Amino acid sequence: MNLKGLLVPMWLTKDKDIKTNSTYHQIIKSIAEGQKGLAVLIDPDKMMLENVPDFVQKLNASIATYIFVGGSSVDDFATEALVIEIKKHTQLPIVLFPGDVTQITDYAHAILFLSLISGTNPEYLIGKHIDAVSKLKHSNLDVIPTGYILIANGKQTAVEKVTRTKPLSREDIPRIVDTAKAGELLGMQLVYLEAGSGALHPVSVDIISAVKKEVSIPIIVGGGIRNTQQMESAYQAGADLVVIGTAFEDDDRFFDKLRKKT
Ligand code: 1GP
């Protein structure tokens, strides 16, 4: 597929070297074709391996387009075992959404190389990334630099605790927009607006639409999205990809509301 043959955003025409079989290419191709993405987040600490076949079968029958795997605190090797098991049951791209270096496995297709740009903890801005290099340089993973922005949602979340950073205020939209723009200017290929897993309030539509006006890289939105209405609102405000985890953990009958149209 020649990228020039597609209606691609301006920023992609600047001689970016994007492998046509990469997960990132798939993301931007879907956007160019006007499709929204849905990532189902699976936490290795919460998913039992014996439950994977049934869960992934339901996931395959839904509109989900990606599987994200990761958590804030995960036992060593649990991620790899989970990815291997998931891969037996689906063709969907598996994207690592790692809380730590131990969660990197070459069995996945891609990794969100997250820099927590809403905070000022150097470990999560650049430190863990350096630690990850020895693993990444020998892997085939599609490494996607991602500006990760934590936004306050009404309660403290695991990301805040683990990273020891403060989320940005949900009221301070100019600051959130400038943070996202700074990420884009630094060369990040995705921006992830995160309310935190199990958030009381998802990222607001006002925040999403303000960021959308200012940045041209794809926007991921996650945290606290529990129903199709919240998902659709995020899409309409400008989210290119929505991530949902807890709602499926609580009740996988949520997949029934997201069935693929045949
Ligand atoms: C968390 O954005 C993801 O990192 C998903 O959040 O578990 O609340 O859906 P939920």
Side-chain angles (χ1 to χ4, degrees), residues 47-237:
M47 174 62 73
M48 310 276 280
L49 287 183
E50 57 265 36
N51 293 336
V52 168
D54 184 52
F55 187 86
V56 176
Q57 193 186 7
K58 290 177 182 150
L59 194 157
N60 285 334
S62 79
I63 59 168
T65 46
Y66 304 93
I67 299 175
F68 282 10
V69 175
S72 297
S73 53
V74 174
D75 287 346
D76 290 3
F77 307 112
T79 304
E80 184 157 291
L82 178 61
V83 170
I84 290 170
E85 185 59 25
I86 293 170
K87 242 180 153 175
K88 289 181 197 162
H89 304 282
T90 188
Q91 301 290 320
L92 288 175
I94 302 172
V95 179
L96 299 175
F97 175 51
D100 209 285
V101 182
T102 54
Q103 294 177 35
I104 297 174
T105 165
D106 209 13
Y107 287 92
H109 299 99
I111 177 170
L112 298 186
F113 205 41
L114 303 166
S115 184
L116 183 58
I117 56 176
S118 55
T120 53
N121 183 346
E123 274 298 290
Y124 290 89
L125 281 166
I126 183 64
K128 290 194 180 282
H129 313 72
I130 298 167
D131 295 343
V133 167
S134 58
K135 277 188 168 185
L136 293 177
K137 69 183 178 188
H138 298 299
S139 90
N140 291 315
L141 288 167
D142 176 18
V143 179
I144 308 174
T146 303
Y148 191 47
I149 301 176
L150 183 60
I151 298 165
N153 76 89
K155 71 166 191 185
Q156 198 188 40
T157 55
V159 185
E160 189 180 338
K161 270 187 237 163
V162 170
T163 63
R164 299 177 306 281
T165 65
K166 286 271 163 247
L168 298 181
S169 161
R170 53 192 280 113
E171 314 301 333
D172 195 351
I173 296 181
R175 175 92 184 167
I176 296 169
V177 171
D178 284 356
T179 304
K181 189 68 187 172
E184 181 178 29
L185 293 172
L186 280 165
M188 286 160 185
Q189 293 183 322
L190 295 174
V191 59
Y192 192 139
L193 302 176
E194 170 73 279
S197 189
L200 289 181
H201 307 285
V203 177
S204 72
V205 291
D206 291 346
I207 293 171
I208 300 168
S209 58
V211 171
K212 186 70 176 181
K213 280 194 198 113
E214 198 61 42
V215 307
S216 52
I217 51 176
I219 298 173
I220 302 179
V221 176
I225 296 175
R226 292 170 181 278
N227 56 53
T228 52
Q229 198 186 347
Q230 289 170 326
M231 186 183 78
E232 290 300 336
S233 300
Y235 287 145
Q236 275 164 28

